[in-house]
Amino acid sequence: MAAQFGRRLRRGATTTAVAAAAVAALSASQAPATPQTGTAGDRTAADATPSGDGAATGNSPYYTDLPPLNTPNKPGSSVNLPVTGSAEAGIPASILAAYKKAEQDLASTDAACRLPWQLLAAIGKVESGQARGGKVDANGTTFSPILGPALNGQGFALIKDTDGGAYDGDATHDRAVGPMQFIPSTWATWGQDGNGDGRKDPNNIYDAALAAGRYLCAGTRDLSLAADLDRAVLSYNHSTEYLRTVRSWFDFYNRGTHEVPDGTGVLPAGTDSGSTSPSPSPSTGSPTPSPDPTPSKPGGGGSATPSPDPSPTPPATTKPPTTKPTPSPSETFGSLENAGTGILSATAGEAFAERVTVRARNMLGATLAGTQVTFTVVGDTDTRFEGGKSTVTLRTGAGGTATAPALTAGEKPGAFRVTAVAGTTVPRALSFPAKVVARVADTVTRTGDTALTAAPGTAFADRVEIRTTSKGTGVADTAVTATMITDAETPAENDKGPYFKDANGEPVRTLDLKSGDDGVLTLPEIFADGTEGTFTLRLTTASGATLTVELKVEAPAA
């Protein structure tokens, strides 16, 4: 019979009894010794990341059950015992297959790590009781999510939400998720597609086992070395007691195990059938169930027989209270994910090419139609959805997707966000960055067509006025360079002919200017020197838009 404590440990907290039992179990089963102070193993343990969000599980609670003191078989015997072996040695079929597949995958991609599947089995045992005894579907996905407690800093690490509740259903704090209990931020980095279905799902044992294997093999670890194995386990959950517990199950599974049907594995003490992992109650350390209500008899418990009524009347018809049926997991909204939304960027006044698209999934991970999703434009922007709305509510279609209406950029450039929120009890939210870039002038035109002429040594009577536009719309604050050039073929600055004056009244033939409201720019006064002829004024913008204006200097007719 396994030593069962029936509870989950809080981060950094355990009892002397637990530690003593763990040591006793290790000694009795001849497991590898836990590193002692001053040894190489102790130094590697110190190298592990101690912070809550640095561990794969965020140092979430774990099951403290230990294996039986009598091992499944003697050392050196087969690790594939028949089904008649001890119950604790049985691993559900899909769970065992996932561990072995992960070992094979790592053997081909990272052979130097030497990952043993028994290590994954040991971690899976203390993290989720082998996915609640193997309660997974044909693809290896748990029938309902396995969630740890909120990592809100109250007895556990403090890890604020990193996934908008997409994986753990909590938009305030992160929770460990799935058979291998990854926190969402770690899954975002290490998540794998272990069963080849195109998804990285922490609730799928094939995906989670492969991710755990790659996490344990990080860097240059060789898990055939005790020190590297210890370092890997401590990086998963930084606790000496955790290391002892995993080590004891690792040794147990190395001495023999066998396959049992899915859903029939031995559950840790105190495990219920719910989707949330148990957390300690104040008194016993395990969840305390509420007593089942007992129907009361009419009259408050009267077993006495009522007196006969001499004038019986028909009993009053009482309408039974209506109770809303609890929706099944397949009908319950579980998560919201990005369904392929591209980069949201547009030029002021134009429509965005991309539209925000999200997908809703139920508690089993399948797509869910009919889910209400609210899209909102958030931030200091005048960008709006079609119809000028900043908030639109839609329902997901048959494939579980909902696509927001097209966005039209306002005139104000800058960054903002579009959010998508679904769910009422525990809302899930996604945030998409977006930006509006300022218009860039693609055309420079002259507003008038009057010929520009002047006599030598005089000023031109008419001023040059231009307009910078983008697709016909005036663009204010457009930088414009005005240069008197030799000719259009070889546009070098001319050293004679028409010129502008600088602040000191000196002749200059190049000026940097900027357009005003609606893109209109009136050039400073232009003067003619004593050289007669036809000259060219070139105006260019940073985007390459160009305009040439002809200037003629000639003496008045006699």
Side-chain angles (χ1 to χ4, degrees), residues 11 52-53 58 150-154 156-160 172-174:
R11 177 187 175 193
D53 56 355
L151 298 175
N152 55 13
Q154 299 179 16
F156 311 110
L158 173 60
I159 305 178
K160 295 185 178 180
T172 303
H173 297 95
D174 272 350

Side-chain angles (χ1 to χ4, degrees), residues 452-455 457-465 482-484 497-503 505-511 513 521-529 537 539 551:
L452 301 170
T453 61
T458 65
F460 283 77
D462 295 304
R463 303 274 289 272
V464 177
E465 185 179 85
T483 307
M484 302 296 179
Y499 60 89
F500 303 106
K501 288 184 178 180
D502 63 14
E506 298 295 325
V508 292
R509 290 184 168 86
T510 297
L511 285 179
L513 307 168
L521 169 63
T522 300
L523 272 63
E525 192 173 20
I526 301 174
F527 301 88
D529 62 9
L537 167 63
L539 301 126
L551 302 173

Side-chain angles (χ1 to χ4, degrees), residues 14-382:
T14 185
T15 63
T16 304
V18 173
V23 173
L26 284 169
S27 302
S29 61
Q30 301 177 16
T34 302
Q36 301 298 315
T37 303
T39 66
D42 187 62
R43 289 193 296 275
T44 58
D47 294 337
T49 305
S51 61
D53 56 355
T57 66
N59 290 337
S60 294
Y62 56 90
Y63 289 107
T64 59
D65 297 22
L66 293 173
L69 297 182
N70 55 314
T71 55
N73 206 342
K74 61 184 179 180
S77 61
S78 171
V79 295
N80 294 295
L81 295 181
V83 74
T84 54
S86 70
E88 290 85 352
I91 300 178
S94 293
I95 313 303
L96 182 60
Y99 296 150
K100 291 185 175 180
K101 184 177 185 302
E103 179 191 60
Q104 294 170 358
D105 289 348
L106 265 296
S108 62
T109 60
D110 190 3
C113 174
R114 296 179 175 84
L115 171 76
W117 66 260
Q118 290 89 346
L119 179 59
L120 294 176
I123 291 176
K125 178 67 175 180
V126 301
E127 291 294 348
S128 68
Q130 310 297 20
R132 299 196 212 97
K135 293 183 179 179
V136 296
D137 61 20
N139 295 319
T141 303
T142 58
F143 289 118
S144 59
I146 301 175
L147 302 174
L151 298 175
N152 55 13
Q154 299 179 16
F156 311 110
L158 173 60
I159 305 178
K160 295 185 178 180
D161 175 64
T162 60
D163 66 331
Y167 291 120
D168 56 13
D170 191 332
T172 303
H173 297 95
D174 272 350
R175 297 170 181 258
V177 181
M180 305 304 281
Q181 290 288 277
F182 279 95
I183 55 174
S185 57
T186 306
W187 183 258
T189 301
W190 294 92
Q192 301 290 319
D193 177 13
N195 61 353
D197 64 354
R199 297 180 57 208
K200 297 178 181 180
D201 184 0
N203 295 298
N204 181 277
I205 185 59
Y206 289 94
D207 295 359
L210 182 57
R214 294 199 183 283
Y215 185 92
L216 294 166
C217 287
T220 58
R221 290 175 186 154
D222 179 355
L223 300 183
S224 66
L225 303 177
D228 276 5
L229 189 144
D230 288 349
R231 182 188 296 113
V233 174
L234 286 169
S235 75
Y236 211 87
N237 191 313
H238 194 76
S239 162
T240 303
E241 289 74 21
Y242 180 83
L243 174 60
R244 290 189 182 117
T245 306
V246 169
R247 274 286 201 172
S248 66
W249 282 106
F250 176 56
D251 178 73
F252 182 75
Y253 288 138
N254 269 312
R255 292 172 178 270
T257 186
H258 59 271
E259 178 183 300
V260 298
D262 287 348
T264 65
V266 175
L267 295 176
T271 305
D272 58 23
S273 59
S275 62
T276 302
S277 299
S279 56
S281 66
S283 58
T284 64
S286 58
T288 304
S290 301
D292 293 332
T294 303
S296 61
K297 297 181 180 180
S303 56
T305 305
S307 304
D309 190 337
S311 303
T313 56
T317 302
T318 303
K319 185 178 180 180
T322 57
T323 56
K324 188 176 181 180
T326 302
S328 66
S330 64
E331 301 171 321
T332 303
F333 171 68
S335 64
L336 192 67
E337 64 186 25
N338 183 358
T341 305
I343 297 174
L344 299 174
S345 179
T347 301
E350 298 181 7
F352 282 71
E354 287 287 332
R355 296 165 67 179
V356 177
T357 302
V358 297
R359 180 180 293 107
R361 294 188 180 277
N362 61 21
M363 296 296 288
L364 303 180
T367 57
L368 183 63
T371 301
Q372 184 171 289
V373 182
T374 299
F375 299 94
T376 305
V377 176
V378 179
D380 186 13
T381 181
D382 52 356

